[in-house]
Amino acid sequence: MDVHRGPARRRPDAGTGALGGLPAVRVGSPVHLRPLTHDDVPVLASWADDVELCREAGWSTGLARERHVAFWRGVVDAPPPELLRLGAVSEGALVGYVDLHGLGPARRELGVLIGVRARWGDGLGRQAAAAALDHGFGALGLTEVWAEALDANGRSVRLLRRLGMRETGRGGEEDFLGRPSFYRQFTVTSAEWRRSS
């Protein structure tokens, strides 16, 4: 996972989703998590207008707005069972989302995207990711969360390290902004997260 791209390099034109009916998860920060709703669809679709965001996130560019709207409606209406996608809200506005991907009862993959590029560098990615870890280790009862970030995306690698995730190995290769790179893999256990929080 590249923290600004989401796990498994998902694009807005590929299937993803969130579980409905989940109460908001509040943390001791300006960011809280909640299920995505139909009211979020226009905001989510609008992020595709930002070509730089799309390039960094690995999203398709040049698609009609209707395709993005239809994609996000599908995310809200029919999420796949293996992906929990929650909206990240700051100061009352949807600014991104987090993913906890996987079907295993004990281990999931973390993904984070802050869709409001003007807010990059404000610490929202770390706060959203921390809220996702709190939720994963708390409400979901996970024992381990893993993530991966492209080596060329230093911001994402630093975020995972700031969360206290341990680097565990090297994953596949993929370009990042036209440069060849490879995935660095990270993990954190429930016990490690509790000790660091």
Side-chain angles (χ1 to χ4, degrees), residues 67-150:
R67 293 232 4 230
H68 291 284
V69 168
F71 166 78
W72 286 108
R73 279 192 188 130
V75 167
V76 172
D77 289 338
E82 71 276 5
L83 183 62
L84 172 63
R85 176 164 285 176
L86 299 171
V89 176
S90 175
E91 299 171 359
L94 183 71
V95 295
Y97 60 79
V98 298
D99 295 337
L100 287 167
H101 184 261
L103 289 173
R107 186 174 191 259
R108 300 248 181 126
E109 181 184 5
L110 172 68
V112 179
L113 181 131
I114 299 302
V116 181
R117 197 160 42 92
R119 301 291 310 269
W120 289 4
D122 289 353
L124 298 178
R126 185 192 181 288
Q127 293 168 21
L133 291 172
D134 284 342
H135 183 66
F137 293 133
L140 299 181
L142 302 177
T143 58
E144 182 181 26
V145 173
W146 71 281
E148 58 183 9
L150 283 165

Side-chain angles (χ1 to χ4, degrees), residues 41-193:
V41 168
V43 175
L44 294 159
S46 75
W47 295 344
D49 295 338
D50 185 335
V51 174
E52 186 175 331
L53 167 68
C54 290
R55 287 183 66 226
E56 287 217 23
W59 291 0
S60 299
T61 57
L63 298 178
R65 171 63 68 98
E66 295 77 25
R67 293 232 4 230
H68 291 284
V69 168
F71 166 78
W72 286 108
R73 279 192 188 130
V75 167
V76 172
D77 289 338
E82 71 276 5
L83 183 62
L84 172 63
R85 176 164 285 176
L86 299 171
V89 176
S90 175
E91 299 171 359
L94 183 71
V95 295
Y97 60 79
V98 298
D99 295 337
L100 287 167
H101 184 261
L103 289 173
R107 186 174 191 259
R108 300 248 181 126
E109 181 184 5
L110 172 68
V112 179
L113 181 131
I114 299 302
V116 181
R117 197 160 42 92
R119 301 291 310 269
W120 289 4
D122 289 353
L124 298 178
R126 185 192 181 288
Q127 293 168 21
L133 291 172
D134 284 342
H135 183 66
F137 293 133
L140 299 181
L142 302 177
T143 58
E144 182 181 26
V145 173
W146 71 281
E148 58 183 9
L150 283 165
D151 179 68
N153 188 341
R155 181 173 48 236
S156 294
V157 171
R158 286 189 299 276
L159 186 150
L160 295 176
R161 287 183 173 153
R162 280 190 213 116
L163 289 169
M165 297 185 87
R166 289 177 287 107
E167 191 162 355
T168 58
R170 179 178 171 140
E173 297 182 359
E174 186 171 315
D175 287 354
F176 179 71
L177 301 178
R179 296 186 325 232
S181 191
F182 64 92
Y183 282 95
R184 298 169 79 154
Q185 298 175 330
F186 295 82
T187 193
V188 63
T189 66
S190 175
E192 290 167 338
W193 182 246

